[in-house]
Amino acid sequence: MKRRGLLRWTLAVLAVTGALLPAGCAREGGSGEYPSKPVTIVVPYAPGGGGDTFTRAVAAQAADILGVKVFVENRTGGGGTIGVGSVARAAADGYTLAFVSTSPVVMAPNFLDVPYDPLEDFTYLARFVVSVHPVLVGGESPFDSFPAVLEFARANPGRLRWSTAGINGAPHVATLAAFRQEGVEATFVPMQGSSEVLAGLLGGTIDLGVISDYSGALAAGDVRVLAEIGPEPIPGLPAVPTYEQLGYPLAPAIFFGLAGPAELPRDVVARWDDAIRTITASAAFSDIAERLNGNVAYLGHEEFERHVRADIAAARRTLRTLGSGD
């Protein structure tokens, strides 16, 4: 065989055999399978909060399951919208994900000019927790039930003072919707964070608060729980009514979950869905949830996405009724 013909034959063989090799084998040290390098989960809140703590627990176990490092990066600001927005613009390869919760995904787009569309710009991977946000009064309060609060508010328009850990978040809007349905006129007192709301309850500057950080005050007898804004009962307090049981128009599950940019590959979605399922079934994760007043509430990719879309639609309907939002 002539030299030129031999060269063409050799190149043809190499091309055929190369095409039969698994993807990625031509690259040193890579099999082409996800993940092949560290993953970053962006938490859009400051370190130490409930969402941050849960995400770090997920990251620690996910690193063992996936076999790569999983970093947590805090990108704060804009009520969670800055960090979440940065992930919406990230490459859709599964190496940059976001901790997502109800406020930046369901509520904030109705009030703020956010840099993302919550229906179009994310792949919702899995939900791991529903956070408890009870309606509280001080330990010395004359109110022993939520109907008693409503009765006072109807008889004394504007005198009931109440607060949440932030303005236009799910606890604020859901409680405002409940008051509107009940024909109650109350005075909202803006406060920054759960600790300020708790101090207001203890000091008597507000009558009612809706926050998630309450366990220590409850154990000390400093507060009493009258209701829960979400659809799930409070762990250990099954007799406390939920907004859903009371028939209020907005009873959002304050979800904690993971999302990535839109159009993530199927294998990425499947790996994280399986990982979150395994993590939420672990005793270690249940212990953290109990300590942080959360209900372990795994939802896989498809069901989580359906729930998020339903929550967004419900919030928009309710906010139109209230005269706010789109």
Side-chain angles (χ1 to χ4, degrees), residues 100 105-106 119 123-130 231-232 253 255-258 269 273-274 276-277 280 296-312:
V100 290
V105 170
V106 176
L119 294 173
T123 303
Y124 295 97
L125 296 171
R127 185 183 79 180
F128 43 83
V129 159
V130 170
E232 299 290 334
F255 63 78
F256 291 173
L258 287 186
V269 174
D273 192 336
D274 289 343
I276 298 299
R277 182 189 299 111
T280 54
V296 178
Y298 163 78
L299 286 182
H301 160 63
E302 292 184 359
E303 194 173 1
F304 183 31
E305 186 146 326
R306 282 197 298 270
H307 274 249
V308 171
R309 290 179 177 273
D311 285 351
I312 291 171

Side-chain angles (χ1 to χ4, degrees), residues 3-309:
R3 182 183 299 274
R4 184 174 297 175
L6 177 61
L7 178 60
R8 284 199 297 268
W9 179 84
T10 303
L11 291 174
V13 170
L14 288 174
V16 171
T17 56
L20 295 177
L21 289 174
C25 283
R27 293 181 297 172
E28 183 178 354
S31 65
E33 294 183 359
Y34 174 88
S36 60
K37 62 181 182 179
V39 176
T40 296
I41 302 176
V42 173
V43 174
Y45 303 110
D52 178 73
T53 302
F54 273 117
T55 303
R56 291 179 187 277
V58 167
Q61 292 199 48
D64 292 335
I65 294 169
L66 299 176
V68 296
K69 293 180 179 179
V70 181
F71 298 109
V72 173
E73 179 180 335
N74 299 89
R75 297 181 194 169
T76 62
T81 63
I82 292 176
V84 169
S86 71
V87 173
R89 299 185 299 272
D93 55 11
Y95 292 100
T96 304
L97 306 176
F99 164 82
V100 290
S101 60
T102 305
S103 289
V105 170
V106 176
M107 294 298 172
N110 294 287
F111 302 98
L112 303 173
D113 183 16
V114 299
Y116 52 85
D117 182 335
L119 294 173
E120 301 294 336
D121 292 344
F122 298 105
T123 303
Y124 295 97
L125 296 171
R127 185 183 79 180
F128 43 83
V129 159
V130 170
S131 178
V132 172
H133 281 69
V135 179
L136 306 170
V137 294
E140 302 298 323
S141 170
F143 306 126
D144 59 2
S145 68
F146 198 58
V149 171
L150 299 173
E151 182 179 357
F152 171 84
R154 288 193 195 95
N156 301 274
R159 285 188 57 191
L160 181 74
R161 300 157 302 173
W162 67 287
S163 191
T164 63
I167 298 174
N168 294 334
H172 179 202
V173 178
T175 304
L176 183 62
F179 286 161
R180 181 69 59 88
Q181 178 167 303
E182 294 285 359
V184 163
E185 181 183 338
T187 299
F188 182 76
V189 181
M191 292 188 172
Q192 298 295 320
S194 295
S195 59
E196 189 174 343
V197 175
L198 186 59
L201 286 173
L202 300 183
T205 58
I206 58 172
D207 306 299
L208 198 77
V210 186
I211 55 174
S212 60
D213 300 326
Y214 69 96
S215 292
L218 180 64
D222 293 331
V223 297
R224 295 199 304 273
V225 178
L226 303 186
E228 159 60 25
I229 74 162
E232 299 290 334
I234 299 173
L237 298 171
V240 172
T242 68
Y243 277 11
E244 185 172 270
Q245 292 169 338
L246 294 169
Y248 294 142
L250 191 59
I254 310 299
F255 63 78
F256 291 173
L258 287 186
E263 300 182 1
L264 282 183
R266 290 183 180 179
D267 63 324
V268 173
V269 174
R271 290 302 304 274
W272 277 102
D273 192 336
D274 289 343
I276 298 299
R277 182 189 299 111
T278 300
I279 291 166
T280 54
S282 71
F285 193 79
S286 294
D287 289 344
I288 292 171
E290 182 177 357
R291 176 166 53 87
L292 297 179
N293 309 312
N295 288 311
V296 178
Y298 163 78
L299 286 182
H301 160 63
E302 292 184 359
E303 194 173 1
F304 183 31
E305 186 146 326
R306 282 197 298 270
H307 274 249
V308 171
R309 290 179 177 273

